[in-house]
Each structure stands twice: as structure tokens, then as C-alpha cells.
Amino acid sequence: MAPSPASLPLPGSCLLLLLLFSALLLQSSASQELRHPPARIGVIGAGIGGTSAAYFLRQKFGKDVSIDVFERGDVGGRLATIDLEGRLYEAGGAVIHPLNLHMKHFVQELGLSVPKGRDGLMGIYNGEEFVFEESSWTIWNYVKMLWNYGLNALRMSMWVEEVLDKFISIYRYQAHDYAFSSSEALLHALGGTPFIQMLNQTIDESMQKAGFSQKFIREIVTPVMRVNYGQGVGINGFVGAVSLAGAESGLWSVEGGNKLVCVGLLYASKAQPIPGTVISVEETTRPRGRSGETMKLYEVTYNSTSGVTSDLYDIILIATPLHRKIANITFRNFKPPIPEFSKPYQQIIATFVHGNINTSFFGYPDPSKFQLSGIFTMENPKLFVNSIGIVSPVENNTKAAEGSPVWKVFSPQPLTKEQLNLLFSSYDLVESKKWLAYPHYSPPEQCPPLVIHDRMYYVNSIECLASAMEMSAISAKNAALLAYNRWYERMDKIDQEDLHEKLKTEL
Ligand SMILES: Cc1cc2nc3c(=O)[nH]c(=O)nc-3n(C[C@H](O)[C@H](O)[C@H](O)COP(=O)(O)OP(=O)(O)OC[C@H]3O[C@@H](n4cnc5c(N)ncnc54)[C@H](O)[C@@H]3O)c2cc1C
Ligand SMILES: *[C@@H]1O[C@H](CO)[C@@H](O)[C@H](O)[C@H]1NC(C)=O
Ligand SMILES: *[C@@H]1O[C@H](CO)[C@@H](O)[C@H](O)[C@H]1NC(C)=O
Ligand SMILES: *[C@@H]1O[C@H](CO)[C@@H](O)[C@H](O)[C@H]1NC(C)=O
Ligand SMILES: *[C@@H]1O[C@H](CO)[C@@H](O)[C@H](O)[C@H]1NC(C)=O
Ligand SMILES: *[C@@H]1O[C@H](CO)[C@@H](O)[C@H](O)[C@H]1NC(C)=O
């Protein structure tokens, strides 16, 4: 017969409980001891992704961890300026959306400023003529939009707003330390299956399903995709929506150049910048203390002015596209080996021309009748440019420009002398910058992993969803949180479902 609980001698059961409790206590203190803070974190790349990662890593891991940031070129990466006659112009990432809250926060935190934007008039060129031209009379633009495209334009801004509305939940989730272990999981947490479906279809399919007219997609949506991503409406629906948001009003940039955000974040993070090219990353084991225990570390080998050197890190964040032509980092001695997951990147040439546009080329024999300062283009094999627009320098741009303006031309190939002579009636200065600018999108989009190895994270995995400054910053914060939560085994902060509901009650 089993004794009833009441028949057990009382002191014994107390002892049992005590033992149980102390065992629990011991266990938790043991695991905390195991979870010593990391000593060193390495970040590869000092673009907006790498520098904001350093900033967020410092926030999470505290002041004692040492953070190194490797950069092979200039701090800023794809945020860069180009010099024309002593004035600087944005050559890479140029505009920031009003709802890009990380970028907004950085600018405030770093004491940077935002110049007043100057809007000009825009036209859409099909290779033969303009299918749409803005006029300085705003009402007339609305009437023309309505006449040409019915309610498509209005519906598009509502459609984009719906996507943005869901997307901005990320800031709340991140403020509560929630992280996601893949780019798809992050997207899914914000918009569920419909967001994942946008990755699986083109923006063309997404918008046709949503009832937008083919004329509108051809004449308005395509030119916006071409100016922002150098590709047509074959890109995935999500990056397409981001691109449409990038054509809204209220866009801004940073006085002195957007790259100042990267310079400022790097400084604010108190990270150690290391000028050099990372060649390889390898996993190694090292003895820890005198106990004979070993610990796993990453050995980063890099090439700098003092030759080829190596350093050891507990955690690595890779904040550059892992494309052979961009980063060319070899992962050595990993078992199983780390596969290649580099995607093709889209080449874009940004050409800056100080001169006068050849208005005849665009169907205006009389230059005085030509009012446009921005030309978007439709798909046409004859066209060798994606867009042309007047740009202002990043500093002191309120000063009236003297003489002819500076035009920025985006094209898939470098412009030849003949092409320049067609586009411009006269010019005295040409400078260009060649980019592997952003992924060449082709849905269904398969994102590279965010967790490449136990404690190694790939910030630029996010570019498969959409490449933009804010996306890199969001991914940097996510990677910093993920690295932190995984290091301290805070699994309840990773890949949680229904965060929307959870945070309602957590309030
Ligand atoms: C022409 C153009 C226009 C754009 N327009 C916009 C826009 O208007 N708005 C917007 O939001 N986004 C825009 N983008 C996209 C935006 O610029 C990028 O998404 C963003 O800057 C990417 O930042 P990142 O830090 O992730 O990568 P990157 O800026 O590419 O940073 C990676 C860094 O890693 C360094 N690196 C690479 N390999 C190594 C190595 N082996 N060792 C050490 N260092 C290494 C590189 O030198 C680089 O500095 C544009 C991009 C281009 C090219
Ligand atoms: C998207 O496509 C992938 C295959 O590329 C498939 O595995 C996935 O289920 C699809 N998701 C949705 C939501 O359609
Ligand atoms: C390191 O850089 C130097 C000069 O910058 C170059 O000559 C050398 O080939 C590089 N070495 C490696 C291993 O990349
Ligand atoms: C990448 O680096 C390896 C050596 O580490 C070299 O053999 C190869 O040519 C490089 N590839 C490119 C595209 O630069
Ligand atoms: C301008 O464009 C017209 C029409 O395409 C072309 O005939 C002319 O050669 C171009 N160049 C100049 C300098 O006018
Ligand atoms: C911008 O203006 C400031 C103050 O007026 C001046 O010091 C600075 O040199 C100017 N920069 C350029 C590039 O003209």
C-alpha cells in the first residue's frame, strides 16, 4: 500500500523540497556562469549595416565587450558622395523615407541635420515621348492622373500604406528585444503569409491581382522600379512596395552626406575601426583558463597595411553582401562546409554631368518649353538610361546653383561619348561611379540564412526582401538582438509567434 502523503514524516519532505530548490538554484547559477559575456565581437563591413550593428551591439552587450569593425574601403560603403568641382553629391543611397525610424533616430542622436528638399517637376518618357508630365499647378496634376489612370494612383498609395503600416511593427518588436532567426521569419512576423507571398511573386503579379491596370503598371510602376532598383516589374512584390514607398513625398537625406550617419555610429559605438580586407573566417578552439576546458572562437584573417594578420572573436557579424565580386570571404574548415549563397547583384552606373540636357532628344526642340528636372523611363530596348534628374549638392544646397545644373543619370552600362552627346547639348564635366548596387531580384525569392553558423550572423541576408538603408539598419538591430538572445539563451525572445497579441497584454 502506498503511503498517503500525510503519512510521510514531515521533516523528510521538507528536506526533499530544500534539495530540489538548491538543485534548481545551483543549475541556474551554473548556466549563468557558463554564460560569461563575450570578450570580443567582430563586424565585417562599415556601411550602414555594419556601423549600426556596432551601435546596437554596444547597447545590448554593454561597455566591456570589445567590438572591432573591419572596413576595406571608405566608411559608408554604398552610402558615398562623389566630388564635382569641389561640391559633393550622393552617388549611392540617396533618399530616406519619413517612416524609416532607425535612420531618423540616428540622425537625431548624432546631432546631424536634414536640409530642405527642393522638389522639381517629373516626367515619364517611353523612348519616343512623354506619357506623363507634371506641371507646377498641383491640381492639374491630380486631374491628369485621374484622367489617365482613374483611381489607380490613389489606390496605390493606400496599398503601399497598408504594407508600411504592418511593417512598422518591427520597431515595437525590436524595442522589446524580440529577434528573428531568418529574414523570412522577420517578414512573416510583420505581415504573415501575405507578406511571404509577396516574395514569391513579382510586383507586376501582386498589383495585377490587387486590380491595378496594366497601363498604370507599365507607365507609372515600372519607371519607379527602374529608378530605384534598376530593374522592371519582375522584381518581387515586397521590394516593389518598398520601391513605391520610395517615390512618395517627404523623402529626406542628411546634410553633408548620408554616410555621415555611418561615421557617427561607428564613433558612438566606441568600436575599433580596422582598415583592412577580410580574407577568411575559420572556426578554432582555444583553451579557456587553467581548467583544460576549451572554447570555440572565430579566427578572422585580414589584409591591412601591416600585412596579413589574424584575430579571434566570440561572435561575428557579416555586414556586406557575400558576393565574390564584393566581399570574397572564404569560410575555412567548417564542418559541414558553409555553402555559397551569393546572389547576382545588379550593376548600376551613376553618371554625373554638369551641363545642359538636350531637350530635342526628349521631343522639345525649344529648350525654354522644357520644365522637367526629373525624367523616369518606361521599358524600351532602345533606351540606354533608367533615369535622369537634377541633383543638389549635399552641403549648402540652398545656395542658388550657378549656370547649368548637375544631372545624375542611372544606366545599366557606362555611357559612351555618343550617348552623352545625345543626352546633353553641352557639358563640361562628367564623373561616374559603378556599383554592384542591390540584388538582381527574381521571385520566388530564397533568402540566404541569417545565422550562418553558431555565433556568426549575416546582416545582409535582409537584402533579399529589399535593399535599402533602413532595411540594413533593421537587420543590424535584429542580428545584434539575435546574437545577444542566443548568447544568453533567452529563447523566449526569438521567433515568437503572435507578437502583436503578446505585446498588447504585455503593456
Ligand atoms: C546607386 C544606389 C542608389 C541607392 N538608393 C537608395 C536610396 O535612395 N535609399 C535607400 O534607402 N537605399 C538606397 N540604396 C541601397 C542602399 O545604399 C544599401 O541598401 C545600403 O547602403 C547597404 O548598406 P550595407 O551596410 O548593408 O552594405 P554596404 O554599404 O555595401 O557595406 C558593406 C561594406 O563592407 C565592406 N567590405 C566588403 N567586403 C569586405 C571585406 N572582405 N573586408 C572588409 N570590408 C569589406 C565594403 O567596403 C562596404 O563598405 C541605393 C544603392 C545604390 C548602389
Ligand atoms: C513560396 O515559395 C516557396 C518555394 O519557392 C514555397 O516553399 C513557399 O511555400 C511559398 N510560400 C507561399 C506563402 O506561397
Ligand atoms: C594584401 O594587400 C597587398 C597590398 O594592398 C597585396 O599586394 C596583397 O596581394 C594582399 N594579400 C592578400 C592575401 O590578399
Ligand atoms: C577570391 O579570393 C580567392 C583567394 O582567397 C581568389 O583565389 C579568388 O580569385 C578571389 N575571387 C575574386 C572574384 O576576386
Ligand atoms: C540632340 O538630340 C537630337 C535628337 O535626338 C539629335 O539629333 C542631336 O544630335 C542631339 N545633340 C545635340 C547636341 O543637339
Ligand atoms: C558651406 O557653408 C559653410 C558656411 O557657410 C562653409 O563653411 C562651407 O565651406 C560650405 N561648404 C561648401 C562645400 O561650400
Side-chain angles (χ1 to χ4, degrees):
M1 192 188 96
S4 76
S7 72
L8 269 172
L10 204 62
S13 95
C14 263
L15 197 70
L16 206 76
L17 269 174
L18 244 162
L19 276 173
L20 206 79
F21 265 109
S22 46
L24 277 171
L25 273 169
L26 268 174
Q27 198 188 5
S28 75
S29 71
S31 80
Q32 234 158 34
E33 207 175 321
L34 260 179
R35 293 286 113 205
H36 58 91
R40 304 187 67 190
I41 304 178
V43 177
I44 304 174
I48 187 65
T51 55
S52 60
Y55 174 86
F56 292 125
L57 285 165
R58 176 66 70 207
Q59 271 187 351
K60 287 316 296 175
F61 285 93
K63 63 177 175 34
D64 291 332
V65 60
S66 101
I67 302 173
D68 288 350
V69 179
F70 294 93
E71 175 53 58
R72 160 201 76 186
D74 293 333
V75 171
R78 274 173 278 171
L79 305 185
T81 48
I82 196 167
D83 188 326
L84 255 87
E85 295 164 319
R87 310 222 54 187
L88 303 174
Y89 299 84
E90 292 290 0
V95 295
I96 305 168
H97 191 272
L99 283 176
N100 286 172
L101 300 188
H102 285 324
M103 290 302 293
K104 227 168 154 169
H105 168 79
F106 296 154
V107 165
Q108 276 165 5
E109 181 93 353
L110 299 171
L112 296 167
S113 62
V114 173
K116 275 217 182 69
R118 277 182 305 173
D119 287 340
L121 302 178
M122 179 273 294
I124 291 168
Y125 185 63
N126 69 4
E128 314 282 340
E129 58 181 353
F130 283 94
V131 297
F132 188 84
E133 279 176 85
E134 269 184 331
S135 78
S136 47
W137 190 22
T138 315
I139 311 265
W140 183 232
N141 291 329
Y142 286 122
V143 171
K144 272 203 288 198
M145 264 285 167
L146 263 176
W147 178 260
N148 281 349
Y149 309 108
L151 289 175
N152 276 272
L154 179 68
R155 287 194 42 232
M156 179 175 79
S157 48
M158 287 162 67
W159 189 70
V160 172
E161 193 169 327
E162 219 176 286
V163 173
L164 273 174
D165 222 44
K166 290 186 180 148
F167 188 75
I168 57 173
S169 307
I170 189 63
Y171 301 110
R172 232 155 49 85
Y173 299 168
Q174 293 193 328
H176 285 84
D177 279 3
Y178 287 104
F180 305 94
S181 61
S182 71
S183 296
E184 286 100 336
L186 186 149
L187 193 67
H188 189 269
L190 303 176
T193 312
F195 267 22
I196 298 292
Q197 262 158 1
M198 290 177 88
L199 280 192
N200 274 10
Q201 57 193 21
T202 63
I203 183 73
D204 191 15
E205 287 162 348
S206 295
M207 292 189 81
Q208 282 198 38
K209 274 185 199 158
F212 291 93
S213 80
Q214 296 209 14
K215 176 179 160 74
F216 181 72
I217 294 174
R218 209 171 50 240
E219 297 184 1
I220 301 290
V221 180
T222 302
V224 173
M225 301 304 125
R226 284 166 62 82
V227 69
N228 284 331
Y229 287 102
Q231 301 158 69
V233 286
I235 69 179
N236 79 62
F238 186 75
V239 66
V242 168
S243 176
L244 289 173
E248 291 182 333
S249 58
L251 302 176
W252 55 282
S253 59
V254 180
E255 176 83 22
N258 294 329
K259 71 173 179 191
L260 293 186
V261 175
C262 303
V263 174
L265 287 172
L266 189 57
Y267 182 78
S269 72
K270 298 197 165 65
Q272 174 73 40
I274 301 186
T277 304
V278 172
I279 301 163
S280 67
V281 180
E282 183 172 354
E283 196 186 33
T284 69
T285 43
R286 286 285 186 280
R288 187 156 83 89
R290 272 163 287 169
S291 58
E293 270 179 84
T294 60
M295 57 181 182
K296 288 186 166 166
L297 291 169
Y298 296 111
E299 180 169 4
V300 171
T301 303
Y302 59 98
N303 190 5
S304 67
T305 45
S306 47
V308 177
T309 329
S310 296
D311 269 317
L312 296 173
Y313 297 94
D314 298 291
I315 296 172
I316 299 278
L317 266 66
I318 296 169
T320 166
L322 281 174
H323 183 294
R324 286 279 163 214
K325 285 191 187 147
I326 300 175
N328 199 15
I329 297 168
T330 304
F331 297 102
R332 253 192 245 144
N333 298 336
F334 284 92
K335 288 183 200 82
I338 288 169
E340 291 270 336
F341 29 67
S342 95
K343 295 181 156 290
Y345 267 61
Q346 179 72 41
Q347 174 176 291
I348 291 292
I349 319 291
T351 307
F352 294 79
V353 182
H354 183 217
N356 295 305
I357 197 162
N358 178 8
T359 57
S360 310
F361 181 80
F362 294 99
Y364 280 85
D366 178 1
S368 69
K369 296 248 160 60
F370 187 87
Q371 305 286 328
L372 303 176
S373 60
I375 300 169
F376 290 19
T377 64
M378 286 169 58
E379 212 105 50
N380 181 338
K382 265 184 21 196
L383 272 171
F384 49 86
V385 299
N386 296 341
S387 63
I388 308 169
I390 294 179
V391 286
S392 308
V394 298
E395 287 183 304
N396 303 344
N397 75 5
T398 44
K399 261 192 214 155
E402 298 142 35
S404 44
V406 170
W407 297 84
K408 172 152 90 175
V409 187
F410 279 139
S411 57
Q413 297 299 330
L415 296 177
T416 62
K417 194 110 192 155
E418 291 71 39
Q419 290 170 336
L420 281 168
N421 288 337
L422 269 177
L423 288 178
F424 295 93
S425 56
S426 65
Y427 58 91
D428 53 23
L429 204 69
V430 181
E431 293 283 347
S432 69
K433 172 99 183 141
K434 180 164 143 184
W435 296 105
L436 281 175
Y438 12 67
H440 183 84
Y441 293 103
S442 58
E445 220 74 71
Q446 289 254 325
C447 294
L450 184 55
V451 184
I452 305 190
H453 191 254
D454 195 17
R455 288 154 288 115
M456 183 158 61
Y457 304 90
Y458 182 26
V459 177
N460 288 69
S461 158
I462 198 96
E463 285 191 77
C464 67
L465 309 183
S467 175
M469 294 173 229
E470 184 72 9
M471 294 302 286
S472 285
I474 285 172
S475 188
K477 180 153 191 185
N478 182 56
L481 288 171
L482 190 61
Y484 180 81
N485 292 338
R486 280 165 61 97
W487 184 271
Y488 290 110
E489 293 175 351
R490 303 190 344 155
M491 296 311 172
D492 60 324
K493 290 287 187 185
I494 301 173
D495 291 337
Q496 291 295 308
E497 302 278 333
D498 296 324
L499 276 180
H500 186 67
E501 292 305 311
K502 267 207 184 79
L503 286 178
K504 252 189 211 158
T505 53
E506 216 169 85
L507 220 96

